[in-house]
Amino acid sequence: MVFLVAAKEIKEIVRSGQFKWMLGIVVLLSMVATYISHVHWQEKNRQRIEAANQARELWLAQGSTNPHNAAHYGTFAFKPQFPLALIDPGVEKYTGVSIFLEAHSRNEADHVAAADQTGLSRFGDLTPDFVLLFIVPLMIIALGHQSVTKEKEQGTLKIIKTQGISNRQLIAGKWLGNYLPVAMLTTCLFVVAALFIGEFDWKFLATLWLVYLAYFAIVNSITLVVSSLTNSSGISLVTLLAIWICSCLAVPKIASSYTNEKHPYPTRQEFEAAIAEDKKKGLDGHDPWSEASKKLERETLEAYQVNKLEDLPFNFDAFRMQKGEEHEAEIYFKHNERLKEVHKEQTTVYQKLAVLSPFLPTRFMSMSLAHTDYSTHWHFADEAEKHRIKMQEILNTNFAENSRLGEWGYKADASLLSEIPEFHFEALDFNEVMSANSSNLGILTAWLLASFGLLIFASTRI
Amino acid sequence: MVNLNIRHELKLLSRNFWFVSLSLVLVLLCLYAGHNGLKHYERRTADQQEALAAQQAKEQLIKEVALTLSKGEEHPNAYRLSPMNLAISTGRLGTMPATQMSKLAIGQSDLYTHQLKIALNEDLATLSFNELNNPVQLLFGNFDLAFVLTYLVPLIIIAFTYNLRTRELESGRLKLLASNPIKINLWLLQRFIIRYFFLLLILTAILLATVLIARTGFSMQLLVFFLLTYAYLAFWFAISYLANLLGRSSARNAVSMLSLWILLVLVVPTVINQAANTVYPMPSRVKLLNEIRQTKKELSKEQNKVLDEYLRNHPELISNKGENAYGYWQGYFASQELTEKRLAPLIERFDAQLAKQQRWVNAWGILSPAVMFHDGATRLAGTSSAHYEQFKDYVRSFSLNWRAHFMPFVFKNEMLGLQELDNLPEFQFRSRSRTAGVFMNISVLLVFSALTVIWGLALEGKRQLI
């Protein structure tokens, strides 16, 4: 019985002119979105690989040089482009893609794409996630808002009921009939995107696909609930659109404004000034006259039981440089941890607000699975910092071990440069991503169950 | 007839439960948006005040050092008056103060920084103007008044006008009306105009309340903002009028108006933006990084030649202290200028491409009233991209002034004195929000509305309208 209803719904949908139009628009938009995203993705990928190779070449081309000069010359860490960014570019546009790794300072990721675009970019981009998150739910609403109300308006509901079908079966059939075409379309979109992407981890893509299917199932249930509870198609449509606008546009913006008001970030200028202030208090590798340097001197002489710095088995200048580096790294760590605290608090607020709209958990999971969320960016920044600290250590150690005090003209062999490994960034693996998203997953599931519950309730009211 | 119509409409609207309750919702939304705008403004201003206070404290310290030295006494921090220390460590704070109007449209102000330290050794090519921010917030955008007006108000208009004619048609009253000596299209237009002014009054009251809550002072910009809002409302009323005349049923009208909303507010802006990025792609920033390093490296190899060339261009900086007058910093600045000169064409490529994108967006933006409105609103609020471009340009040119001011001291190895401290270049940037450009947006919206209405009126008698 359920399948009969579903088959009838599908037949009706397929035959309606409205569906053909909408299907045409959605397919066109998704094709254009996928194609353009693919072109941009490839171009950006090429640029990054090229830049990374060139940066390495420039690094190695320094040849025989003073290790500390090399540390100042520095190099770059590039964030790789992840394959699924093609489906959901997430916050990529607003985070930088490269971090300059140099002595004495931890730099922020730079080159935010949004700053290189016009103000219109804030309206959003035509990417597959835009179609999936905003347009497809609209399509579900447009197709399903009248699925029950029409039967009521035309008086066919009573006739159907005389056929011996229960309300629940009828609603289940309607639900399936409305859902299957959308599910098929989504699946096709994912298959096409997968063909474009080529190389990817299927676990991520499959989960992403399931997340969107769950999101659409929620939207579909809500649509049918409203259609069952209202008496006219017009009211049903207006109510559903109001729900759509609230959940997809208003709630995310309210969440963002609210979160920022509750847990604001410091300004860049404040952040940098605080770091500079802390740095001033501690050991500066370049300043042998400071209080902290003198202290280090005394301690080192005592530890090695010698009277003069010249008698130490290593170059004290370089040793001090390394100690200064470690001290600075601690300061950067402390301040970034504080920033991360704020980020975590903000994330918690977002996750709490996700209860208000199924859009939010879907949005967050989608970005997370595509490795284009803010956490991945933090992960990248932390890895780059680890790499920078390691790099300084190798360089300073070489300097300390192979030169004498005051020997600033010392040049290390060119092979030292290749001892510094190339920067490689590995994003979190599947299990880690899923456990980081357990709250989002829970809320999405709760939404799914609640919407089904509502549907069962609504089926008793037709 | 008009009087009758007005009375009829007023009665209808005041007795309409939905209209009254949605107006209340609108009040709440606008007030909340105003509150958000106010908070954003307050935080931005407080941050800036704090930064300015810190900077002033620094400058005060330097003045005290100079004062002590000028009396012929010694000071342990005398080194702070060296040109290098003063121009780098103390530097100048470049600020972009928030305008009162920025409470109404947050625009791009969450993306860029409004206070930035300008130091002598800063590379102009890599100067970053981005604010520290949670990118999720940037992705979602802000709930400000501009959002409520751009996205939500059109929907309210649609909800109250989509069935003005078709309802009469469906209930059979249209035929009765048609038997009266009045043109149906004109009658409908009257109803629309009455409703337009009614909503306009309500919205003006709400906006005034919001403006009072957000404590935005009254100004020319605010007046133009109101006009822009009225023009935007007019557009949606006009479109709905046409849809009413062309549509056969209320349900269809609702669907077509909502599709139009989705198209004009949601889809067209993203398509225009995507097209701008595709037609005028930005060159690669990451590639630029390496180009900068390459250039620097080449110049560092010929350090002596660089300094010679620099001094040839700046004979006023030549010191008469002999061969060894120039140390590390002199060489540094010589190569900084040459690097910038060599990189200028590369940097200009970015600016040129962005300017092209902006032109494209301006030209095609007229396809979407939402873009027209939002663009006008951010321009009035001083938070549009153009304002930040102005700020960036000002900072860059100020940095060059700052550098030029200090070069004689650097090359002559002179300390600065009390008198010189008073003659340092001052950073004074004020956003100019010109209303002239916004009138263009208003005119476009009004012309579209007028054309739509004329089209609607011309349909009289040409179609089976009853």
Side-chain angles (χ1 to χ4, degrees):
Chain A
M1 209 56 154
V2 173
F3 291 104
L4 272 179
V5 176
K8 176 244 162 199
E9 283 293 308
I10 293 174
K11 205 179 268 176
E12 210 171 72
I13 285 173
V14 172
R15 279 183 190 163
S16 77
Q18 215 185 5
F19 174 73
K20 280 174 199 151
W21 268 104
M22 264 182 297
L23 185 74
I25 291 171
V26 170
V27 168
L28 183 75
L29 278 181
S30 16
M31 286 302 144
V32 171
T34 313
Y35 175 72
I36 291 182
S37 299
H38 178 63
V39 172
H40 282 280
W41 190 91
Q42 276 193 319
E43 175 61 18
K44 272 190 257 168
N45 203 35
R46 192 187 57 78
Q47 285 175 359
R48 277 186 219 183
I49 292 171
E50 209 178 276
N53 290 340
Q54 214 181 350
R56 183 72 184 170
E57 265 170 40
L58 280 172
W59 169 257
L60 294 177
Q62 293 178 93
S64 169
T65 178
N66 179 289
H68 194 64
N69 276 357
H72 270 287
Y73 184 74
T75 187
F76 290 93
F78 291 96
K79 181 157 66 173
Q81 282 232 102
F82 293 97
L84 293 186
L86 194 141
I87 292 179
D88 188 352
V91 298
E92 284 281 274
K93 192 163 86 173
Y94 300 105
T95 57
V97 293
S98 66
I99 295 181
F100 183 45
L101 311 172
E102 59 173 340
H104 311 305
S105 55
R106 169 175 183 165
N107 295 303
E108 294 292 317
D110 218 343
H111 303 305
V112 172
D116 267 338
Q117 291 180 2
T118 65
L120 200 62
S121 71
R122 302 298 292 277
F123 273 86
D125 290 308
L126 186 61
T127 45
D129 70 312
F130 172 77
V131 177
L132 289 167
L133 285 164
F134 293 95
I135 306 293
V136 174
L138 275 175
M139 182 179 166
I140 297 175
I141 291 174
L143 292 179
H145 75 276
Q146 53 171 355
S147 117
V148 183
T149 47
K150 204 164 76 182
E151 309 280 4
K152 287 186 200 168
E153 283 164 352
Q154 295 173 345
T156 40
L157 192 62
K158 283 184 185 141
I159 303 175
I160 299 172
K161 281 188 181 176
T162 58
Q163 306 291 314
I165 187 172
S166 73
N167 279 357
R168 219 175 269 184
Q169 281 173 319
L170 176 69
I171 292 292
K174 295 254 177 207
W175 191 91
L176 265 184
N178 207 30
Y179 185 66
L180 286 179
V182 176
M184 300 249 293
L185 183 70
T186 314
T187 311
C188 290
L189 186 66
F190 269 83
V191 170
V192 172
L195 290 178
F196 266 112
I197 298 169
E199 246 175 83
F200 59 88
D201 186 344
W202 65 269
K203 259 193 271 177
F204 284 97
L205 189 76
T207 317
L208 196 62
W209 173 68
L210 286 175
V211 165
Y212 278 109
L213 282 186
Y215 175 54
F216 299 149
I218 295 168
V219 178
N220 194 34
S221 301
I222 295 176
T223 306
L224 280 171
V225 167
V226 174
S227 186
S228 307
L229 296 181
T230 49
N231 288 322
S232 94
S233 303
I235 293 180
S236 163
L237 181 66
V238 170
T239 315
L240 282 167
L241 280 165
I243 294 175
W244 176 82
I245 288 154
C246 279
S247 10
C248 296
L249 290 174
V251 169
K253 280 181 197 282
I254 290 173
S256 130
S257 287
Y258 176 78
T259 314
N260 203 39
E261 193 186 320
K262 283 272 160 208
H263 305 288
Y265 262 24
T267 61
R268 180 182 292 274
Q269 188 269 340
E270 250 175 317
F271 183 69
E272 283 170 1
I275 289 175
E277 193 55 39
D278 267 5
K279 266 186 171 180
K280 232 192 262 172
K281 288 182 202 149
L283 181 70
D284 176 354
H286 279 300
D287 180 5
W289 299 283
S290 72
E291 195 74 3
S293 297
K294 292 287 175 206
K295 190 168 160 245
L296 179 72
E297 225 176 274
R298 278 195 307 275
E299 283 169 2
T300 320
L301 290 177
E302 217 166 280
Y304 284 86
Q305 307 215 319
V306 288
N307 296 327
K308 285 188 300 172
L309 291 176
E310 284 82 356
D311 296 341
L312 287 168
F314 49 79
N315 180 350
F316 182 73
D317 284 333
F319 179 72
R320 186 181 56 236
M321 206 71 76
Q322 177 56 23
K323 286 292 162 195
E325 201 66 62
E326 285 165 16
H327 163 71
E328 280 157 349
E330 252 170 58
I331 293 173
Y332 280 110
F333 181 75
K334 183 180 99 186
H335 284 273
N336 276 285
E337 277 310 294
R338 233 179 254 169
L339 209 57
K340 229 189 267 178
E341 257 338 285
V342 182
H343 157 60
K344 275 189 193 134
E345 282 166 342
Q346 291 191 341
T347 310
T348 318
V349 178
Y350 275 122
Q351 280 172 349
K352 279 186 191 153
L353 291 173
V355 178
L356 293 178
S357 155
F359 173 89
L360 286 178
T362 314
R363 169 85 268 185
F364 288 126
M365 283 212 73
S366 169
M367 288 196 282
S368 203
L369 287 164
H371 292 311
T372 52
D373 59 338
Y374 193 26
S375 300
T376 305
H377 184 73
W378 265 114
H379 184 41
F380 163 68
D382 287 345
E383 289 296 304
E385 174 64 3
K386 269 189 216 157
H387 187 79
R388 186 185 78 86
I389 294 174
K390 178 122 190 269
M391 181 175 147
Q392 302 309 321
E393 200 188 323
I394 297 175
L395 293 171
N396 282 328
T397 312
N398 176 291
F399 193 11
E401 283 171 1
N402 299 308
S403 63
R404 281 172 290 117
L405 187 72
E407 194 189 343
W408 286 98
Y410 162 73
K411 282 189 175 173
D413 189 65
S415 66
L416 173 67
L417 298 172
S418 45
E419 270 177 45
I420 308 287
E422 270 185 75
F423 177 73
H424 277 295
F425 176 61
E426 288 288 332
L428 296 184
D429 67 26
F430 183 71
N431 293 338
E432 286 167 319
V433 168
M434 288 316 276
S435 73
N437 273 292
S438 53
S439 152
N440 286 323
L441 195 64
I443 292 172
L444 197 67
T445 317
W447 264 102
L448 194 63
L449 296 176
S451 67
F452 282 142
L454 270 178
L455 196 62
I456 294 173
F457 165 75
S459 70
T460 62
R461 297 289 151 121
I462 19 175
Chain B
M1 186 64 207
V2 176
N3 282 340
L4 270 179
N5 239 341
I6 293 178
R7 256 186 284 160
H8 177 230
E9 285 300 311
L10 285 184
K11 244 178 218 168
L12 274 182
L13 286 175
S14 59
R15 287 180 190 169
N16 187 331
F17 165 76
W18 282 103
F19 187 75
V20 177
S21 47
L22 265 183
S23 300
L24 285 178
V25 171
L26 190 63
V27 173
L28 292 179
L29 289 177
C30 286
L31 292 185
Y32 180 60
H35 162 84
N36 280 340
L38 179 66
K39 285 282 161 215
H40 192 83
Y41 171 87
E42 282 176 348
R43 218 166 70 75
R44 181 174 155 187
T45 316
D47 284 341
Q48 194 155 86
Q49 290 305 337
E50 211 172 289
L52 277 170
Q55 179 70 14
Q56 270 161 8
K58 256 194 219 171
E59 284 168 15
Q60 190 54 38
L61 202 80
I62 306 286
K63 274 223 172 108
E64 278 161 22
V65 175
L67 201 64
T68 316
L69 293 180
S70 74
K71 289 180 195 154
E73 295 165 25
E74 294 217 343
H75 197 290
N77 288 341
Y79 70 94
R80 303 281 313 245
L81 282 171
S82 81
M84 289 315 302
N85 196 288
L86 191 65
I88 294 176
S89 296
T90 312
R92 264 276 183 263
L93 192 72
T95 54
M96 180 173 177
T99 62
Q100 288 290 330
M101 288 290 289
S102 68
K103 294 166 188 168
L104 305 184
I106 291 171
Q108 296 280 77
S109 68
D110 51 356
L111 183 61
Y112 296 111
T113 182
H114 301 101
Q115 49 266 337
L116 170 102
K117 192 179 152 193
I118 293 161
L120 200 56
N121 57 343
E122 202 72 67
D123 260 333
L124 291 187
T126 49
L127 199 58
S128 170
F129 288 87
N130 297 323
E131 187 52 278
L132 208 57
N133 220 329
N134 185 337
V136 175
Q137 193 215 334
L138 298 174
L139 180 72
F140 287 168
N142 291 291
F143 194 87
D144 58 355
L145 195 64
F147 164 73
V148 175
L149 294 175
T150 315
Y151 286 79
L152 306 184
V153 169
L155 290 166
I156 291 180
I157 297 175
I158 294 171
F160 289 107
T161 55
Y162 77 97
N163 62 355
L164 282 191
R165 190 188 70 97
T166 41
R167 200 160 157 227
E168 308 290 326
L169 182 74
E170 281 153 13
S171 63
R173 286 187 298 244
L174 200 64
K175 287 202 164 110
L176 277 177
L177 270 170
S179 64
N180 285 305
I182 179 173
K183 285 182 177 167
I184 293 288
N185 289 10
L186 210 56
W187 161 82
L188 190 66
L189 186 61
Q190 278 180 11
R191 289 192 75 180
F192 266 87
I193 292 177
I194 294 164
R195 287 199 176 213
Y196 170 67
F197 278 105
F198 201 70
L199 190 71
L200 196 136
L201 276 179
I202 293 179
L203 199 65
T204 307
I206 298 176
L207 286 182
L208 283 175
T210 312
V211 162
L212 282 178
I213 281 206
R215 296 195 287 279
T216 311
F218 289 91
S219 60
M220 181 64 184
Q221 276 83 13
L222 188 68
L223 187 73
V224 181
F225 182 79
F226 274 86
L227 293 180
L228 181 69
T229 311
Y230 299 156
Y232 186 56
L233 295 190
F235 175 85
W236 284 103
F237 270 96
I239 283 286
S240 180
Y241 172 66
L242 190 65
N244 256 278
L245 288 175
L246 295 174
R248 281 165 203 282
S249 78
S250 301
R252 267 200 187 188
N253 278 358
V255 172
S256 49
M257 281 305 294
L258 289 168
S259 318
L260 203 65
W261 178 87
I262 291 159
L263 188 74
L264 294 181
V265 177
L266 221 58
V267 179
V268 171
T270 55
V271 171
I272 296 174
N273 176 42
Q274 194 73 288
N277 294 337
T278 312
V279 177
Y280 301 111
M282 271 288 157
S284 161
R285 284 265 178 205
V286 284
K287 202 171 160 200
L288 179 73
L289 292 176
N290 286 323
E291 280 162 353
I292 293 174
R293 287 160 76 75
Q294 190 86 48
T295 314
K296 279 189 180 167
K297 201 174 160 199
E298 279 163 18
L299 287 173
S300 75
K301 270 187 198 152
E302 31 188 330
Q303 193 61 53
N304 288 335
K305 252 198 263 169
V306 167
L307 193 60
D308 284 348
E309 193 182 329
Y310 181 76
L311 288 175
R312 253 202 307 282
N313 292 333
H314 297 278
E316 74 282 1
L317 296 178
I318 294 175
S319 150
N320 48 13
K321 287 182 187 159
E323 280 286 300
N324 300 322
Y326 306 113
Y328 168 78
W329 283 110
Q330 283 82 358
Y332 177 88
F333 288 114
S335 58
Q336 188 181 33
E337 189 180 288
L338 278 187
T339 313
E340 274 167 12
K341 216 181 256 175
R342 281 205 202 171
L343 288 174
L346 296 178
I347 308 288
E348 270 160 26
R349 263 190 349 217
F350 286 89
D351 292 340
Q353 208 68 346
L354 188 62
K356 277 184 197 159
Q357 283 194 2
Q358 191 63 54
R359 273 204 296 279
W360 167 278
V361 166
N362 289 346
W364 290 99
I366 56 170
L367 286 182
S368 161
V371 173
M372 287 275 104
F373 176 76
H374 202 267
D375 172 64
T378 49
R379 270 204 251 173
L380 289 169
T383 52
S384 69
S385 302
H387 286 98
Y388 286 92
E389 284 309 310
Q390 278 173 16
F391 178 60
K392 288 179 195 172
D393 285 346
Y394 188 89
V395 168
R396 290 197 189 107
S397 74
F398 181 84
S399 298
L400 291 178
N401 276 346
W402 185 249
R403 220 184 272 169
H405 186 83
F406 279 95
M407 278 309 117
F409 295 98
V410 172
F411 273 79
K412 287 176 186 154
N413 261 328
E414 268 177 14
M415 299 294 255
L416 278 87
L418 197 55
Q419 208 189 348
E420 279 91 15
L421 284 185
D422 290 332
N423 292 334
L424 296 181
E426 290 290 337
F427 189 97
Q428 271 169 334
F429 177 79
R430 285 270 172 284
S431 309
R432 281 162 299 169
S433 39
R434 293 233 179 91
T435 46
V438 182
F439 279 112
M440 186 69 198
N441 295 20
I442 296 179
S443 331
V444 169
L445 287 171
L446 288 180
V447 166
F448 267 129
S449 321
L451 287 178
T452 318
V453 169
I454 292 170
W455 182 6
L457 285 176
L459 284 174
E460 179 83 48
K462 287 195 184 152
R463 282 169 65 110
Q464 185 70 34
L465 286 170
I466 299 172

